[in-house]
Amino acid sequence: AIGFAAICEDGRVARTKRPSTTADLIRSLAVILIPLVILTILFTNIPNDHPVKEVAWQPVLTTARKQAPFPVLAPTNLPSGWRATRVTWVEQGDPYLNGQPSPRNLWQLGFLTPDDVFIDLNQGDARLPELIDEQTRQGAADGESSIGDQTWQRMLSEDGRTRSLVLVDPKATA
């Protein structure tokens, strides 16, 4: 048999590589897995507790009620422990979240309940089918509810996670 040997640039004969062993495989896996395990431990033990930033919603409500061409809805007697986390008033044509002009006068007020369930109120006066679809997550009619002297349409999203009450009024939809 004729043997072949590689010759290095400096003229030495290169050694042939010994076959890999099980121990080599275990060492290679350890080099890869140990850092992954350490990173996993470090980043999964970060507390999932994200502090909720509460907002003062009454001053924005006062502004909205002065500027809106419709009666702005807001709670009068909130249950104990409810925390306001979102409040927005934007007039039609003013820049909205994405910097584009708002297609409607829009009032939004959101709360977290003591059980961390998000409940919000959205009220607008233009492009109402889009507003209803956005806020109900393309909800389908699910009956009616009477609140005071008004009849609200119940809507339920396809996945059942979003329940909405919709009041269509000539001046605004909530």
Side-chain angles (χ1 to χ4, degrees), residues 61-124:
L61 173 63
T62 302
T63 302
R65 284 188 168 157
K66 286 178 186 173
Q67 297 176 350
F70 52 83
V72 174
L73 300 176
T76 52
N77 296 314
L78 281 174
S80 175
W82 284 40
R83 299 161 288 165
T85 59
R86 180 178 78 165
V87 62
T88 304
W89 164 249
V90 62
E91 288 187 279
Q92 186 173 13
D94 285 353
Y96 188 46
L97 295 176
N98 59 5
Q100 298 296 316
S102 176
R104 67 185 63 85
N105 292 298
L106 181 64
W107 163 246
Q108 297 178 307
L109 180 59
F111 293 92
L112 274 181
T113 68
D115 297 328
D116 289 333
V117 174
F118 184 71
I119 297 177
D120 65 339
L121 167 67
N122 298 279
Q123 192 177 10

Side-chain angles (χ1 to χ4, degrees), residues 35 46 59 73 101 131 164 168:
I46 295 175
L73 300 176
L131 176 66
S164 304
V168 178

